Amino acid sequence: MTARRVASVLRAADKGSATSSPATGAGAQRHERIYQAISSAIIEHRLQPGARLREDALAEVFGVSRTGIRKVLQRLAMDQLITLTPGKGASVTRPSAEEAREVFEARRLVEGGLMQPLAQVLDAKGVEQLRALAAQEQVALEAGEQSEAIQCSAKFHSALAALAGNETLATFVVQLCSRSSLILAVYGNAGNLGCDCTDHQQLLALLEQGDGKAAADFMAKHLDAIEASLSIGDEPQAVPDLQDVFAGYRR
């Protein structure tokens, strides 16, 4: 995969989904800020799974029309961060235990399968790129920026797939990582990202040695550990105080 395509895949990961589109114009940029504010609130557990998101309340919080909020909610629904139900409105998505298992099984199959070809083609520039992403994740963890750390972790995994050279699988990994981020945000323990950045450093060392089999085995254990860190259980739906959740938002 060319450097341009790798950058494209990482931009998709940076948005949290391969379906997200860049904002253009003042109005679209404002919608982008609202999208980021709501998605961060979900990832940081300030909006809990099943929480209802009323259009009128969100419009008041962010100082935009209900039409503008509806556009943001539709984008969040495309990214599977929220669920839109006719007659009931929007609520934070609650992935089922079965969905969580399926996502991690898919990741083990796809990402594990990419380690061998990646070990054969990874060059110094790719190693440098991966090290930079791991470093960004470490900085976010040390600063207590949970949302940023989760996003950095997703970008690291997406970069691994992109550098392996299969564009179709790389795009699929971006989607899986986005879904995993939501699953982790919903069912992970507060303060525990599940994805240990020291694991990323060890994985990178194996890839640098050209040991694709060992890297594939390590990737499987790494994803197993993330899945094992989840605490999946039913919780009652809630109606959050949106003024409190987004108290720090600046229009």
Side-chain angles (χ1 to χ4, degrees):
M1 185 179 290
T2 65
R4 180 176 297 180
R5 286 304 305 158
V6 171
S8 177
V9 169
L10 290 180
R11 282 196 298 272
D14 195 29
K15 293 295 184 182
S17 169
T19 61
S20 298
S21 57
T24 57
Q29 290 175 6
R30 190 175 193 182
H31 290 167
E32 173 69 20
R33 290 196 299 271
I34 296 172
Y35 169 87
Q36 294 295 338
I38 297 175
S39 61
S40 292
I42 293 171
I43 291 174
E44 293 169 357
H45 296 190
R46 288 183 286 117
L47 286 174
Q48 295 294 325
R52 292 178 56 196
L53 302 175
R54 290 171 40 212
E55 287 183 5
D56 57 344
L58 288 170
E60 180 179 354
V61 167
F62 293 111
V64 297
S65 67
R66 290 185 63 172
T67 299
I69 287 297
R70 196 170 294 121
K71 290 180 180 179
V72 174
L73 292 178
Q74 288 171 348
R75 180 180 168 194
L76 288 163
M78 289 179 63
D79 289 349
Q80 298 182 313
L81 290 172
I82 70 167
T83 300
L84 296 176
T85 305
K88 294 185 178 180
S91 61
V92 177
T93 297
R94 184 195 298 274
S96 68
E98 182 180 2
E99 289 171 331
R101 285 193 296 268
E102 289 178 351
V103 166
F104 280 99
E105 178 62 21
R107 289 191 63 180
R108 279 188 288 269
L109 290 171
V110 176
E111 295 188 66
L114 288 171
M115 292 302 97
Q116 188 72 39
L118 176 58
Q120 296 173 358
V121 301
L122 186 62
D123 57 16
K125 185 175 182 180
V127 170
E128 181 181 357
Q129 184 177 15
L130 290 167
R131 280 179 176 163
L133 290 171
Q136 290 174 17
E137 182 183 8
Q138 182 64 42
V139 169
L141 283 171
E142 291 176 354
E145 298 288 344
Q146 183 164 329
S147 175
E148 180 66 20
I150 290 175
Q151 292 173 20
C152 286
S153 175
K155 286 165 67 176
F156 180 89
H157 281 265
S158 299
L160 288 172
L163 290 166
N166 188 313
E167 183 175 335
T168 300
L169 288 179
T171 301
F172 185 37
V173 169
V174 170
Q175 296 169 341
L176 289 172
C177 286
S178 175
R179 191 64 175 159
S180 296
S181 295
L182 175 61
I183 291 169
L184 181 59
V186 170
Y187 295 114
N189 298 315
N192 178 12
L193 302 181
C195 198
D196 189 339
C197 64
T198 59
D199 278 6
H200 291 166
Q201 295 165 359
Q202 293 179 54
L203 178 63
L204 183 52
L206 293 172
L207 290 169
E208 284 188 89
Q209 296 168 15
D211 195 339
K213 184 181 184 306
D217 292 341
F218 191 88
M219 175 64 80
K221 293 178 182 178
H222 174 59
L223 294 172
D224 283 344
I226 299 174
E227 185 176 3
S229 74
L230 303 178
S231 299
I232 300 177
D234 293 327
E235 296 179 8
Q237 291 190 352
V239 180
D241 184 337
L242 297 177
Q243 293 285 354
D244 182 59
V245 170
F246 298 109
Y249 177 81
R250 296 182 180 180
R251 299 179 182 177

